[in-house]
Amino acid sequence: MPETIIGATPKTPIVLIPSRLASTRLPDKPLADIHGLPMIVHCLRRAEEAGFARVAVACGDAAIADAVRAAGGEAVMTDPNHPSGSDRIFEALQKLDPDGRHDAIVNFQGDLPAIDPKMVAAALIPLADPAIDIATLATPIVDSHEIDDPNVVKAVLSLAPGQTVGRALYFSRRPVPGGTGPLWHHIGIYAYRRAALERFVALQPSPLEQREKLEQLRALENGMSIAAAVVDTLPLGVDTPADLARIRQVMAAKR
């Protein structure tokens, strides 16, 4: 795990977890029970354990807000029809922090209930460089079946040997770049400078974004800078009933 650069990263970040019930492969996914708690609450706990002073769930459905509040968490209702999580967290930010106290926003997905909390915090590390607008995470691809899997997004990083943070030059569903060297599995956690998030959600969908079906390409196509911190493990996500069964087993072993 990369080391945090003390005093250089944003001072007052907030974690926002976008969440809605609509899911074709796993209906009502955020409310799926994992050892007595809804999955969205487990995600809330992981972000809190990462040491952030404020964590909130940006909800597209009242049932999610009810579950979060019942667990003592902070929730805010947002338009259920937002096209993306970034649009949802931007609305939530405007409602929760109209005075602009939070200087960075971590967009943490609500389907990573077993993630190492240190990984959530690591998303801020690239923002130690004032030239970076958006930060994210990547880990080396170690399973050969992922190389040609279009569901595994690859990050093309400018990363010299020994470095743990690199500029992201492109993202693709194809195995890029060519040649000898590591391929990087992109982990979809983002940290935005506040001004960068405001700029990003105001942009129109871009040609490469629409071609690859990858929202982060909109930022690159419009000249925004993205960097990724390299982490050593891939967090288990939950998209299907089989994923849910697996995560229950993994989390049971940790209890």
Side-chain angles (χ1 to χ4, degrees), residues 31-240:
L31 303 180
D33 181 87
I34 302 175
H35 306 303
L37 286 176
M39 180 162 61
I40 190 64
V41 174
H42 281 286
C43 294
L44 180 77
R45 297 287 182 257
R46 301 298 86 77
E48 292 171 342
E49 291 162 4
F52 289 91
R54 192 176 190 188
V55 181
V57 180
C59 308
D61 302 273
I64 299 172
D66 291 343
V68 170
R69 290 168 182 155
E74 184 174 14
V76 59
M77 289 300 302
T78 57
D79 184 343
N81 298 313
H82 279 306
S84 71
S86 52
D87 294 297
R88 190 172 306 284
I89 65 165
F90 183 64
E91 181 191 347
L93 180 69
Q94 291 176 303
K95 290 181 174 180
L96 294 172
D97 185 32
D99 298 328
R101 291 172 296 165
H102 296 294
D103 57 359
I105 303 92
V106 177
N107 182 353
F108 173 44
Q109 302 306 309
D111 57 4
L112 298 170
I115 193 171
D116 182 343
K118 293 179 181 178
M119 195 175 294
V120 185
L124 281 173
I125 291 173
L127 295 186
D129 181 347
I132 300 301
D133 298 310
I134 303 169
T136 189
L137 300 175
T139 193
I141 291 178
V142 295
D143 293 329
S144 59
H145 78 273
E146 291 190 344
I147 293 175
D148 292 308
D149 184 348
N151 295 311
V152 175
V153 177
K154 290 81 180 176
V156 179
L157 304 182
S158 177
L159 191 70
Q163 290 184 332
T164 57
V165 176
R167 284 283 188 117
L169 304 181
Y170 193 65
F171 297 86
S172 181
R173 299 184 182 278
R174 301 284 292 175
V176 290
T180 302
L183 295 177
W184 302 101
H185 187 140
H186 179 230
I187 299 169
I189 302 173
Y190 296 93
Y192 298 84
R193 298 191 192 280
R194 191 181 185 108
L197 177 60
E198 183 173 2
R199 179 185 173 195
F200 179 77
V201 297
L203 294 170
Q204 294 298 311
S206 62
L208 287 173
E209 172 193 1
Q210 293 175 315
R211 181 171 176 172
E212 291 261 23
K213 302 295 188 286
L214 296 174
E215 187 184 45
Q216 61 270 39
L217 292 177
R218 185 190 316 175
L220 292 180
E221 287 188 81
N222 284 277
M224 300 181 75
S225 58
I226 303 177
V230 173
V231 294
D232 54 10
T233 57
L234 180 67
L236 295 175
V238 178
D239 289 314
T240 67

